[in-house]
Amino acid sequence: MAYDTKADFDANYSIQVERRMPGGGPPPAEGREPVRLHYHKFYQQPWLANMWATLQPVLNIDSSEFVCLVGAGFGWGVDALVAESGATVVGIDISQYIADEQGTTEEAEINAEIALVGLDPATGRGLEIKNFVYDGLPRSDVVVLHTDASSQNERQLIRTALGGNWPSVVVYENIFDDDWTDSEIEAARDAGNGFGGQQRLIFIYKGTSLRSHQDLFDLLPGTKEVISTDGRTYLS
Amino acid sequence: MALPTTVVSDVGRSGHRPPMKTSGGSFYVVAIDDTNDVCEVWKADGDDPTDAWTEQDSANSVECDAPCVSCILDGDLIHIVHIIGVGVNNRGVRYHQFDTSSDTWSVDNEVIESTMDAAQSWASISVRSDGDVFVTYNSSTDRVMGGDKERADGNQRTSGTWGGPFSLDAGGDVHYGNPNCILGTNDSTHFMWLSTADTANDPPTAWTDTGARTVSSGDVLSTTQTNGADSGGVLLGSSNILSYDDGGTQRIINIYGLDTSANMVRGTEDGGDDISSLNSTSPVFNDEPPNANGEVSTHSLTNLDDVIHIIFANDVDLDVYTCSSTDDGSTFSTRTEIIDAVTCNFISSAIYTRGVDTVLAYVYDDAGVQKYNEHVLISGATAFLPLFDEQQNTLLRM
């Protein structure tokens, strides 16, 4: 599984910034690389908001539900799901990068990306780019628990975070890729199904050429739902 | 000499490179010398394309290791954009300019993008009345959740300087590609592209949607119009787009080839000259659609007085056919074979008058040789003086 360190996230998320700024850029005369962001709020937050706006009409998670969102990252998906459903949501993530940087700002990382292409984030074009992507606030105001819910103690932490309620819905927020083995996926599913009572299990999955949505659905035992990140495929 | 005439014994490349006729009555073709990796301009001897063709300013032929080349004639200038680099991670975008008033190269290998990674190689070009040049191309990918996502960018040249890429697409976990641009009304520039949110394949193997937006004469980028239309497995299935006046309504047409048929997306300008809506029709062809030469569809679009013409290589026998539509692409006539016993791998067309005839002129690759030919649309038309608009690839009447 390839999302533990900052380097992992940087390798899996790389988005050119300047072509999306008014006027675009950089002009070729400057002879430099464009600034790129990685797993940062400016792009991830609206994408997740858009994803949940697309999925919620299909999933219909009720406002009375208690949801555990697995693979929540910095929690932008938690915010989005709360906004779309009104449910009570806690996010969990096992990534060390997420655990280390929770509650911090992105400023140092953004400064580094701007400096990487030879610009000064304090002046001129570098400052213009920084002001375009950085809002001065922490990455997220959501607390994401550093746990994989694989033990009873960890599940109790989740229950506490949900106000003493076991999750009634467990959503896996697109955590599976081709690095996951079948047994690892089954173990993750078992962890989500290990809370007290019966959980509704939802697997948001983008799908790959090696493991389709149907492949994932067929792999998982019991009652479950598999939905593509764009909502066009929904299996239940 | 009779048509067709050989322009150059070298393979045709992807892109939109129609034959061009200047206001002075000279005929030009932009071709690629695949052996020596240079871009060449060929001119019909004696302004007669039924005669031989001669390369112009060959000593200064521009370097062009180019999977894709597109060009457009504006006044005396031929504007050329091409994608260089044969590897996915080694692409770049370059601009050249050829001056037909002196038959010399006036701009050589101007850098639009120095290096980029792009799974497909495609570029399109248009020119405004103020001389600003617009290009659009498959551009550098973003990496999203571990997958490379193709992007469609535009770029603008003002007073000889390129401004840097500007995004046409909305980003996200979506693939974008095969963008084209064309001049609309009042110096608006329209862009159309294909996309898919199917994440199972990186890079994509098929498109599922289309998109469009406009840069106004004041350089304002409009909001995006979208339409879901199955574009199938031909990733560079859109050869060029049309823009024409349909009785007071400006249409923008995109027809893209598939594996088994071809679809059409039609845009309409609003009062502000932006593309305001998209609708689609499928299939354009019921059988034997344009051939897909690898990932490139071998067809080309033109418009004559509100009639859309498609010229294409049939996917069964690779001969050249035409068909047309009088209802803005909703239906097309039965195809007509105009050349038999050829192996057409590339084709690009324009409509102009030559002598007393109005012709659908085209450059095509016949088994690795680029040739010029014509299909007469109106024979002996002398009752009016037609005006050809190179920018919109359409023939107007005065």
Side-chain angles (χ1 to χ4, degrees):
Chain A
M1 296 167 238
Y3 292 84
D4 185 40
T5 65
K6 181 180 184 301
D8 292 336
F9 279 83
D10 285 357
N12 286 296
Y13 292 89
S14 180
I15 296 100
Q16 275 198 38
V17 174
E18 295 173 77
R19 58 184 168 188
R20 300 193 181 278
M21 296 175 61
E30 292 187 16
R32 62 171 177 85
E33 291 294 311
V35 173
R36 286 181 172 270
L37 287 188
H38 300 286
Y39 192 68
H40 294 109
K41 185 193 322 181
F42 186 75
Y43 289 119
Q44 304 308 322
Q45 188 177 53
W47 288 350
L48 284 165
N50 184 63
M51 184 187 80
W52 275 108
T54 301
L55 300 187
Q56 170 59 6
V58 180
L59 297 174
N60 287 305
I61 297 173
D62 191 80
S63 60
S64 63
E65 305 280 8
F66 297 93
V67 183
C68 175
L69 188 66
V70 182
F74 288 115
W76 301 307
V78 172
D79 277 339
L81 178 51
V82 169
E84 291 295 330
S85 67
T88 304
V89 183
V90 64
I92 68 173
D93 200 291
I94 61 171
S95 160
Q96 194 59 52
Y97 170 56
I98 301 297
D100 291 343
E101 298 298 335
Q102 269 208 87
T104 67
T105 74
E106 300 173 332
E107 184 171 16
E109 291 176 4
I110 290 173
N111 286 347
E113 294 299 331
I114 293 171
L116 188 62
V117 303
L119 297 176
D120 181 350
T123 64
R125 178 64 173 174
L127 180 61
E128 186 182 346
I129 294 169
K130 181 176 178 179
N131 288 339
F132 182 71
V133 299
Y134 178 55
D135 61 8
L137 299 174
R139 299 169 197 266
S140 170
D141 57 4
V142 172
V143 175
V144 174
L145 301 180
H146 189 213
T147 173
D148 62 1
S150 60
S151 72
Q152 190 59 25
N153 286 343
E154 290 175 328
R155 295 189 194 108
Q156 285 291 350
L157 289 174
I158 295 167
R159 184 186 187 192
T160 301
L162 290 172
N165 300 285
W166 292 115
S168 52
V169 181
V170 177
V171 179
Y172 296 78
E173 195 178 58
N174 195 36
I175 65 172
F176 302 137
D177 59 25
D178 288 339
D179 289 339
W180 284 69
T181 64
D182 287 354
S183 43
E184 287 170 339
I185 291 174
E186 290 165 350
R189 177 266 175 200
D190 290 343
N193 200 44
F195 298 98
Q198 184 67 43
Q199 282 76 46
R200 177 185 176 191
L201 302 180
I202 299 172
F203 298 85
I204 300 172
Y205 177 56
K206 60 184 279 186
T208 73
S209 57
L210 295 181
R211 185 186 284 121
S212 68
H213 300 97
Q214 189 66 54
D215 290 337
L216 180 63
F217 187 83
D218 293 340
L219 171 66
L220 298 166
T223 303
K224 71 279 179 179
E225 300 158 67
V226 174
I227 187 167
S228 60
T229 52
D230 62 0
R232 297 188 191 201
T233 300
Y234 177 59
L235 305 171
S236 65
Chain B
M1 210 182 296
L3 292 174
T5 47
T6 294
V7 177
V8 60
S9 294
D10 225 323
V11 298
R13 295 294 194 113
S14 67
H16 181 56
R17 292 183 287 108
M20 295 163 284
K21 178 191 171 186
T22 66
S23 59
S26 299
F27 297 85
Y28 293 85
V29 168
V30 172
I32 305 303
D33 179 340
D34 196 40
T35 304
N36 297 303
D37 290 337
V38 291
C39 184
E40 302 167 342
V41 174
W42 291 74
K43 181 179 180 179
D45 293 349
D47 294 337
D48 181 2
T50 69
D51 202 331
W53 294 76
T54 300
E55 185 186 354
Q56 303 299 301
D57 196 14
S58 59
N60 296 305
S61 294
V62 297
E63 180 185 347
C64 191
D65 171 17
C68 175
V69 175
S70 293
C71 67
I72 193 166
L73 176 67
D74 178 56
D76 289 334
L77 300 178
I78 299 174
H79 302 265
I80 301 166
V81 61
H82 80 265
I83 306 295
I84 67 168
V86 294
V88 170
N89 295 317
N90 190 33
R91 304 263 197 232
V93 191
R94 300 290 185 268
Y95 167 79
H96 317 296
Q97 191 185 89
F98 186 89
D99 190 342
T100 63
S101 68
S102 57
D103 283 339
T104 57
W105 289 98
S106 43
V107 175
D108 175 3
N109 256 306
E110 212 167 72
V111 175
I112 300 175
E113 293 250 26
S114 56
T115 58
M116 60 183 194
D117 63 327
Q120 296 97 36
S121 172
W122 189 263
S124 174
I125 190 166
S126 66
V127 182
R128 272 194 330 209
S129 67
D130 61 359
D132 276 21
V133 179
F134 283 89
V135 297
T136 183
Y137 45 90
N138 282 30
S139 57
S140 274
T141 60
D142 286 333
R143 194 156 177 84
V144 179
M145 287 184 277
D148 288 329
K149 304 299 170 180
E150 290 69 30
R151 298 294 183 235
D153 284 348
N155 215 316
Q156 181 176 357
R157 183 181 192 260
T158 302
S159 300
T161 300
W162 291 97
F166 57 88
S167 292
L168 296 170
D169 59 69
D173 199 9
V174 180
H175 298 280
Y176 298 87
N178 199 190
N180 282 291
C181 59
I182 196 165
L183 195 67
T185 304
N186 296 322
D187 261 351
S188 60
T189 302
H190 302 304
F191 297 84
M192 280 188 163
W193 61 86
L194 305 173
S195 66
T196 183
D198 175 13
T199 56
N201 294 284
D202 290 331
T205 57
W207 303 113
T208 56
D209 300 284
T210 59
R213 60 196 311 187
T214 302
V215 172
S216 71
S217 60
D219 296 339
V220 176
L221 188 57
S222 73
T223 56
T224 300
Q225 304 297 317
T226 59
N227 184 266
D230 182 8
S231 44
V234 184
L235 295 179
L236 297 177
S238 174
S239 64
N240 65 300
I241 57 179
L242 297 178
S243 176
Y244 62 93
D245 182 358
D246 174 26
T249 300
Q250 192 73 10
R251 305 284 186 199
I252 304 94
I253 300 290
N254 188 3
I255 295 175
Y256 37 92
L258 312 184
D259 307 326
T260 57
S261 64
N263 286 344
M264 183 207 72
V265 166
R266 179 172 52 216
T268 303
E269 280 188 8
D270 61 18
D273 305 323
D274 293 335
I275 291 181
S276 64
S277 63
L278 294 179
N279 59 71
S280 61
T281 300
S282 62
V284 172
F285 300 92
N286 291 318
D287 61 357
E288 298 186 15
N291 178 52
N293 182 6
E295 59 185 4
V296 181
S297 178
T298 50
H299 75 275
S300 181
L301 308 178
T302 50
N303 179 277
L304 167 61
D305 196 26
D306 247 358
V307 178
I308 296 172
H309 295 271
I310 305 179
I311 188 167
F312 61 101
N314 181 291
D315 80 332
V316 175
D317 58 13
L318 299 185
D319 294 333
V320 178
Y321 291 73
T322 65
C323 61
S324 61
S325 172
T326 58
D327 55 6
D328 305 311
S330 294
T331 58
F332 278 82
S333 62
T334 302
R335 65 187 180 279
T336 301
E337 185 175 52
I338 57 174
I339 309 181
D340 188 25
V342 295
T343 305
C344 179
N345 299 307
F346 163 83
I347 196 162
S348 195
S349 63
I351 296 177
Y352 44 67
T353 58
R354 189 172 68 82
V356 297
D357 295 333
T358 302
V359 300
L360 174 60
Y362 54 101
V363 177
Y364 65 107
D365 174 307
D366 179 10
V369 177
Q370 292 176 75
K371 299 179 180 177
Y372 172 93
N373 204 0
E374 295 170 354
H375 174 63
V376 177
L377 295 177
I378 302 175
S379 176
T382 57
F384 58 88
L385 182 65
L387 174 68
F388 182 69
D389 185 326
E390 297 95 348
Q391 300 306 321
Q392 298 183 351
N393 210 26
T394 189
L395 196 65
L396 312 173
R397 294 189 188 278
M398 292 172 59

